[in-house]
Amino acid sequence: MKTIATKISAILLAGVSMAGLQSCDYLDIEPEKTLPGESVDYTRTEEMYEAVSGCYAAVRTYNMHWILNLLTVIRDGDVWSGRTDDQGDLVTMGNSYIYNSAWWGINETWRNYYQIIRICNSALLSLDEYETHITSEDDMKRCRSYRGEVKIIRSLAYYRLAQFFGNVPILADNYQTDYTPSERNVVYEYLLRDLDYAMTYTPKVRPNQMEHVGAFSGYTAQALAAKVYLQMGNYEKVEELTDGMISSGLFTLYNDYYQLWKIPGRLCDESLAECQVTDFGMGSGDYIGVDQFFNCAGPTISNPNTTLQSTGGWNFVGYFDSFYDWAIDRGETVRATTTFLVGGTETPSGDYVAPAGNANNTNIWNGKWYLPLEQITPGRTEYGCNNNVRILRYADVLLMNAEAKVRLGRNGDEPFNAVRRRAAMPELRNVDVDMILDERRMELCCEWGERYADLVRTGKAAQVLGQKGWSPDKTYFPIPSEQLDLAPELMNPPYTSLER
């Protein structure tokens, strides 16, 4: 069975070209041809996917950096850094919206997403070279499909950049020297072109049905495009795209919300995008993982009845007590049990969650990134080891569909209640936008900044976050000062269209 994973070297925004970069597509083979400029035999069209696998490796290496995990979720009023004794900038940025453009984490976020974009640009050039040697229609179809996968990955990077920074440069090629930004909606227009291509040429199947199992599919592109249109307020397109996914009959909500986030739920029929991890089922040796992504969010977990009896994380990613109380007061049980790791309690898997050892730290952590000790491969000790990172889920599609329908004057009860039924919550009738936003707040909490994005796009951020210091000029993080030193044109007035 083919799968997608590999490792890849880092490239700075202002660094070298990535033309010709390649890597392998098998989890159990060392990466090949990973040096820029190394000769590639483009007549070997059977190796086309090597260019694509390097892009997935970039997602795993750069998008899953632990600081990006934290920066994505700390500004929504429900989640905070979880610690006051480490990475103090996370506290001031998330709790009082005081941003430090010189802080390393903001620069790392900018740099990592442009690294992904550069690698995708290089992969597309490689696929163009392979295409010149293709002689069969089947190979041409594969090439177009692979190109679509790369465009989805590149679109995801641009989408995240727009979430974080608003107006950002479009890097048309890796030799570009003008880093004048484009307006956020122009960036959206650019990435929607990529997603349209992927929806046309990449198979409309679940990721677990792809040739390379777990690869992003045409429906991954469709879900991401719906999210972009939701940000733009184009509810007709949101409804059209999400209706298409629902009517396909391919996707279902995983029946166990708790296990959805654990080993049994990996690449299930709810999954639209995951970053894949593996320890090959072996207790030692090679491991393809996401570095400290899970570890940064974990408290100390112990269980004397498991092979691995204890593992500890860094104790970041904490929920405010106010959000926990809100969830419990609204009757959450299934999602509360999964979402909240409360210090001094036991999980359904029998693991004990150690309470915070410092009064300035959180005592409620993000349970979605928790992996029970019984599910960790014997011999491994890393927190969350061998678990995939969930990026896009069908539950989000259902809630987007419900919101689009309601905003267009139609009834959104069915997709809305499908999500609630899985959570063992009572069904509601004639739901309105505020009810859907509350459902998104619970269902998608601590997932890629969804709550903060919802508050901003609906104009509710000032009301919910204003008392903590948020104002419209704090919507986005500042451009990192290190990047301004490298490219002063980042301060130029942004481009207002793709035609320059």
Side-chain angles (χ1 to χ4, degrees):
M1 177 182 294
K2 297 180 180 179
T3 54
I4 48 167
T6 191
K7 298 177 182 177
I8 206 157
S9 55
I11 302 297
L12 294 173
L13 170 58
V16 301
S17 164
M18 295 294 292
L21 185 75
Q22 303 288 307
S23 61
C24 77
D25 67 321
Y26 298 105
L27 290 167
D28 56 348
I29 300 177
E30 287 297 313
E32 299 174 353
K33 309 188 186 81
T34 55
L35 296 177
E38 186 169 336
S39 177
V40 177
D41 184 357
Y42 291 110
T43 67
R44 297 179 61 83
T45 56
E46 67 273 15
E47 296 178 354
M48 278 190 295
Y49 203 75
E50 292 182 351
V52 186
S53 66
C55 301
Y56 287 105
V59 172
R60 185 172 60 253
T61 303
Y62 303 130
N63 191 45
M64 302 305 155
H65 191 292
W66 63 271
I67 201 64
L68 274 66
N69 181 3
L70 287 167
L71 279 176
T72 302
V73 299
I74 59 170
R75 294 187 296 166
D76 65 9
D78 295 335
V79 185
W80 69 294
S81 72
R83 297 178 59 169
T84 59
D85 58 340
D86 192 4
Q87 303 299 327
D89 283 284
L90 285 171
V91 179
T92 56
M93 285 191 290
N95 291 16
S96 52
Y97 302 94
I98 299 173
Y99 302 152
N100 176 9
S101 64
W103 183 57
W104 73 271
I106 289 181
N107 187 60
E108 190 76 7
T109 300
W110 178 282
R111 186 180 69 171
N112 280 14
Y113 282 117
Y114 277 108
Q115 286 169 339
I116 294 173
I117 290 167
R118 282 183 173 273
I119 291 166
C120 288
N121 287 349
S122 176
L124 291 171
L125 288 177
S126 291
L127 290 170
D128 289 344
E129 292 287 345
Y130 279 117
E131 185 175 334
T132 64
H133 299 282
I134 289 175
T135 58
S136 75
E137 183 55 38
D138 284 346
D139 280 350
M140 184 63 72
K141 185 177 179 180
R142 287 172 50 237
C143 184
R144 290 169 179 158
S145 174
Y146 296 165
R147 189 179 285 114
E149 290 181 47
V150 175
K151 287 176 178 284
I152 297 168
I153 295 170
R154 186 170 69 175
S155 296
L156 180 63
Y158 277 121
Y159 179 68
R160 298 294 184 218
L161 281 167
Q163 275 188 301
F164 278 115
F165 299 104
N167 302 335
V168 296
I170 294 173
L171 195 63
D173 64 66
N174 292 347
Y175 298 97
Q176 182 174 316
T177 57
D178 176 16
Y179 294 120
T180 298
S182 293
E183 288 186 346
R184 186 188 65 162
N185 279 356
V186 176
V187 177
Y188 284 159
E189 182 183 350
Y190 179 80
L191 70 87
L192 283 169
R193 291 184 182 183
D194 274 357
L195 295 175
D196 283 342
Y197 182 97
M199 285 187 279
T200 301
Y201 294 109
T202 305
K204 290 286 192 72
V205 296
R206 295 188 304 266
N208 63 16
Q209 296 173 313
M210 287 289 284
E211 172 195 1
H212 299 88
V213 178
F216 295 172
S217 74
Y219 277 132
T220 307
Q222 195 156 321
L224 183 55
K227 293 182 74 62
V228 174
Y229 283 118
L230 188 69
Q231 292 298 314
M232 299 174 75
N234 188 336
Y235 303 113
E236 291 84 359
K237 287 295 294 185
V238 176
E239 184 184 41
E240 173 192 335
L241 293 168
T242 55
D243 269 350
M245 298 183 68
I246 294 168
S247 64
S248 75
L250 290 175
F251 297 94
T252 57
L253 296 176
Y254 193 70
N255 63 353
D256 187 333
Y257 193 77
Y258 180 75
Q259 294 295 348
L260 168 66
W261 300 96
K262 297 162 180 57
I263 299 299
R266 291 189 302 182
L267 294 178
C268 66
D269 290 355
E270 181 174 346
S271 175
L272 280 156
E274 291 185 20
C275 177
Q276 295 192 66
V277 170
T278 185
D279 59 15
F280 308 106
M282 304 293 291
S284 62
D286 291 341
Y287 169 63
I288 294 178
V290 285
D291 194 36
Q292 307 298 332
F293 181 90
F294 291 113
N295 193 59
C296 82
T300 297
I301 304 292
S302 62
N303 189 334
N305 300 315
T306 53
T307 302
L308 177 62
Q309 296 189 356
S310 178
T311 186
W314 295 356
N315 297 90
F316 285 112
V317 190
Y319 287 108
F320 284 113
D321 290 344
S322 57
F323 177 62
Y324 175 82
D325 293 341
W326 173 84
I328 299 304
D329 287 347
R330 76 193 300 258
E332 296 288 344
T333 54
V334 171
R335 286 185 294 204
T337 298
T338 302
T339 301
F340 303 120
L341 278 183
V342 182
T345 68
E346 192 174 279
T347 73
S349 300
D351 294 337
Y352 177 72
V353 183
N358 186 321
N360 293 322
N361 291 347
T362 188
N363 198 48
I364 308 172
W365 293 272
N366 175 23
K368 290 178 176 177
W369 300 147
Y370 151 70
L371 187 66
L373 295 182
E374 66 183 4
Q375 293 186 18
I376 296 178
T377 303
R380 302 288 181 176
T381 59
E382 293 184 30
Y383 188 92
C385 185
N386 203 33
N387 198 13
N388 292 350
V389 180
R390 281 61 169 175
I391 300 174
L392 291 172
R393 299 191 289 121
Y394 183 56
D396 191 4
V397 170
L398 290 169
L399 292 174
M400 286 193 288
N401 184 262
E403 182 176 344
K405 281 180 162 50
V406 169
R407 289 189 182 275
L408 294 170
R410 293 187 266 278
N411 188 286
D413 290 359
E414 179 48 39
F416 174 87
N417 284 316
V419 175
R420 285 179 66 87
R421 283 193 293 270
R422 196 255 304 269
M425 293 288 285
E427 296 188 24
L428 302 177
R429 292 288 174 261
N430 298 315
V431 298
D432 59 26
V433 170
D434 285 340
M435 294 161 69
I436 295 168
L437 292 175
D438 277 351
E439 201 64 26
R440 290 180 60 84
R441 181 184 183 187
M442 188 67 223
E443 175 70 23
L444 304 174
C445 61
C446 233
E447 294 183 49
W448 302 107
E450 295 295 340
R451 172 63 174 170
Y452 182 73
D454 285 346
L455 290 174
V456 171
R457 70 177 174 83
T458 59
K460 294 179 179 292
Q463 173 189 348
V464 176
L465 307 175
Q467 61 184 351
K468 299 176 65 177
W470 188 93
S471 55
D473 62 306
K474 302 293 182 65
T475 299
Y476 304 108
F477 290 127
I479 296 174
S481 57
E482 183 175 330
Q483 299 302 320
L484 289 173
D485 291 340
L486 291 168
E489 64 268 29
L490 287 167
M491 293 301 294
N492 290 347
Y495 291 119
T496 58
S497 75
L498 289 174
E499 307 301 326
R500 299 178 181 179

